[in-house]
Amino acid sequence: MKRFLVAAAITLAGLPALASNDDIVKVKSSGDVATTMDRLEAAVTGAGANVFARVDHAAGAASVDMDLVPTQVLIFGNPKIGTQAMQDDPVAGLFLPMKVLVYQDGAGQTWLAYEDPKEMFDDLSISDDAEYLKMMSGALGKLTGKAAGQ
């Protein structure tokens, strides 16, 4: 119910709601969550982007005596690219910096997931042909590929 209210409030405020599954890109990883996340963080810093945070959702769950499969989020960005999106539409700041989720599914498989930038900014005043969207998509593809061990 709480999720519904949040999504409804966001929609009523004129902002895009949560992404649909077809807006999410998923990449299968050859490693566990910690290894995949370490590789992702190394790839991001190696590419010259800034890592702002690494969030361990499973550790958060454990802190309140709850169980959660290994699940982490890396929050990162490159101001040279992200600033361009925010110049075109300041509301892009709701989606930036970029985020990649690394999680373990019910079968024990590790996945990386991120929202397709073109879809992420779809409801904003950002052209689908913006060069920075291609740069974001390309970077996310390369970074998650490296993290996945491809």
Side-chain angles (χ1 to χ4, degrees), residues 118-135:
K118 187 174 177 182
E119 299 301 323
M120 182 170 44
F121 299 128
D122 196 38
D123 293 329
L124 304 182
S125 299
I126 292 177
S127 169
D128 287 345
D129 298 330
E131 189 62 32
Y132 56 81
L133 288 178
K134 295 174 192 166
M135 294 170 69

Side-chain angles (χ1 to χ4, degrees), residues 59-81:
S63 76
V64 292
D65 296 322
M66 296 179 74
D67 292 325
L68 183 65
V69 296
T71 307
Q72 295 186 30
V73 174
L74 192 69
I75 302 170
F76 62 94
N78 181 335
K80 288 181 182 179
I81 300 171

